[in-house]
Amino acid sequence: MVNAQKYIDENETIRRVSRQEETVWINPDYLPVEVTDGLCQLVVSDEDIADAEARLTRFASFIRRCFPETEATGGLIESPLEDIPRMQQALEQAYGCTIPGRLMLKMDSHLAIAGSVKARGGIYEVLKHAEDLAIAAGKLTMEDDYAKLAEPEMKQFFGRYTVQVGSTGNLGMSIGIMSAALGFRVKVHMSADAKQWKKDLLRSHGVEVLEYTGDYSKAVAEGRRLSDADPMSYFVDDEKSVNLFLGYAVAAKRLKQQLDEQSITVDAAHPLVVYLPTGVGGAPGGIAYGLKRLFKNNVHCFLVEPTLCPSVLLGMATKQYEKANVRDFGLSGRTHADGLACAAPSGFVTRILGNLVSGDFTVEDARLYDDLRLLDSSEGKRIEPSSCAAFAGPRGLLTLEDSRRYCAEQGLTEEVLANSVQIAWATGGRLVPAEVWEQYLATVLD
Ligand SMILES: *Cc1c(COP(=O)(O)O)cnc(C)c1O
């Protein structure tokens, strides 16, 4: 257990975090990409990311065949990038803040198949595992048309294997749905925070859902233990997986293509500022990493976490990484943002982001619902509460003293920010049932 009191006494930001105040932590170790380049390439190289991208391309024909909803994108799982000018104005009015530049929404909330950002990493890791097994068994070569993986003989082959994962909900849905489509047996270990509708949906796909009364780390630990005891079982380890990370990192090149299509330039005079809702760190970490590789110092990546569960912030700010647990800092970890309810962060991600991420905003649960309603009324778009954490970034950037100072230090002057694109990364929502939307829209917390 870390000595939380010491950090609370010594660090002003951690003190505010322990008081559950909305705040921002600016990363004191943030460095220009040139400095970190060599080290980064050793851990996750640009070739690794390109390899992941190529793998997703190989699987496109299989995905298209199994999931007709991906027909329009030719079997690629990708989401729209849209301007949200009315939301930008609504946020400015509601919070009395200034949001410079062009505010856009990256709608991973609406990704095919899994309806959340987990459709990137989770699905990628299952596909990678399936490919490894099939190639090792001599049933597939990389030159084949992967649509053949949808045939009964292959399903039977994969049916001898089990895939397991611990999840607060959305990761389980992406792993569960894709594993079931390939024919794997699937067990999803769900934490107490997981929503009932997510468990119901998984069971309807034939996935075995095991429920735990404890938090996310417990569900992961138990899933890992049971899977390790079974030689035919593979565990998707959200706290450590490099494959998940690679699946997420592919998002960067896809985003670049979308920016190009919309004739949006990214350079020092036209920077990108990106805000990523964060749970254990894998999804935002992989995306931020990919973005930094591609856009270098012209992208500024901020994480956003609930004031009740800022585990990645604490792991990075204390440099205690996976050892930092929000409960040691007097925080419950029990947030309405179920997708972000991870009491301790990924050790891998908090380390690899050490010099790359600009900072981490925290957001009160009440604001998630306020912003959910604002987006619905201003733009007619619906994203789940966890996703709405992203808006704490644009409304906080020029409001909070520490992020204002970051802007000044990084040359993000008024003029530069006026030419910037700020991207709120929406991470989930498409699969939320109608009656749950009614509940979300009606939830008012103080
Ligand atoms: C999982 C998830 C996140 C964050 O991903 P992590 O890898 O846990 O950091 C954000 N939003 C939603 C909706 C999620 O499901």
Side-chain angles (χ1 to χ4, degrees), residues 158-238:
F158 291 126
R160 289 158 43 204
Y161 300 90
T162 305
V163 174
Q164 305 198 45
V165 64
S167 174
T168 61
N170 286 340
L171 182 63
M173 293 212 291
S174 82
I175 303 282
I177 294 170
M178 186 49 78
S179 299
L182 281 155
F184 285 119
R185 296 173 50 195
V186 204
K187 294 184 186 181
V188 177
H189 303 264
M190 288 280 209
S191 62
D193 308 284
K195 298 271 188 267
Q196 189 60 43
W197 67 266
K198 294 183 180 175
K199 298 177 197 164
D200 295 343
L201 191 139
L202 274 177
R203 289 189 172 117
S204 79
H205 281 265
V207 171
E208 189 181 337
V209 177
L210 295 95
E211 302 180 53
Y212 296 87
T213 49
D215 72 13
Y216 174 72
S217 324
K218 291 236 182 63
V220 172
E222 194 54 17
R224 191 189 286 131
R225 191 182 67 78
L226 288 170
S227 185
D228 287 351
D230 177 356
M232 297 299 274
S233 176
Y234 179 81
F235 187 64
V236 177
D237 200 326
D238 200 15

Side-chain angles (χ1 to χ4, degrees), residues 40-55 124 128 242-243 245-247 249-250 253 289:
C40 284
Q41 292 282 306
L42 277 181
V43 188
V44 175
S45 70
D46 294 341
E47 288 71 38
D48 294 336
I49 302 175
D51 176 61
E53 195 186 11
R55 181 162 294 105
Y124 173 74
K128 165 97 169 62
V242 177
N243 283 324
F245 191 84
L246 284 169
V250 171
K253 272 207 198 127
Y289 188 85

Side-chain angles (χ1 to χ4, degrees), residues 51-188:
D51 176 61
E53 195 186 11
R55 181 162 294 105
L56 288 170
T57 306
R58 289 199 290 280
F59 270 99
S61 66
F62 164 78
I63 290 174
R64 188 171 174 181
R65 178 154 165 195
C66 288
F67 300 95
E69 61 191 290
T70 63
E71 187 63 42
T73 53
L76 289 192
I77 303 170
E78 198 40 72
S79 75
L81 172 70
E82 293 190 6
D83 282 301
I84 45 169
R86 290 171 295 266
M87 179 61 172
Q88 186 167 0
Q89 218 171 33
L91 283 167
E92 290 185 322
Q93 268 166 20
Y95 293 96
C97 61
T98 309
I99 302 176
R102 182 168 171 181
L103 185 63
M104 302 187 87
L105 194 67
K106 178 57 180 161
M107 294 178 66
D108 279 5
S109 46
H110 290 67
L111 279 174
I113 304 173
S116 82
V117 69
K118 305 297 193 306
R120 296 187 183 279
I123 287 177
Y124 173 74
E125 179 151 1
V126 172
L127 297 178
K128 165 97 169 62
H129 179 54
E131 185 186 63
D132 289 346
L133 287 175
I135 289 178
K139 293 182 178 296
L140 180 75
T141 71
M142 284 207 221
E143 288 70 40
D144 285 344
D145 177 352
Y146 280 28
K148 77 184 251 193
L149 295 175
E151 278 157 23
E153 186 218 324
M154 289 309 296
K155 278 197 141 181
Q156 228 166 34
F157 168 71
F158 291 126
R160 289 158 43 204
Y161 300 90
T162 305
V163 174
Q164 305 198 45
V165 64
S167 174
T168 61
N170 286 340
L171 182 63
M173 293 212 291
S174 82
I175 303 282
I177 294 170
M178 186 49 78
S179 299
L182 281 155
F184 285 119
R185 296 173 50 195
V186 204
K187 294 184 186 181
V188 177

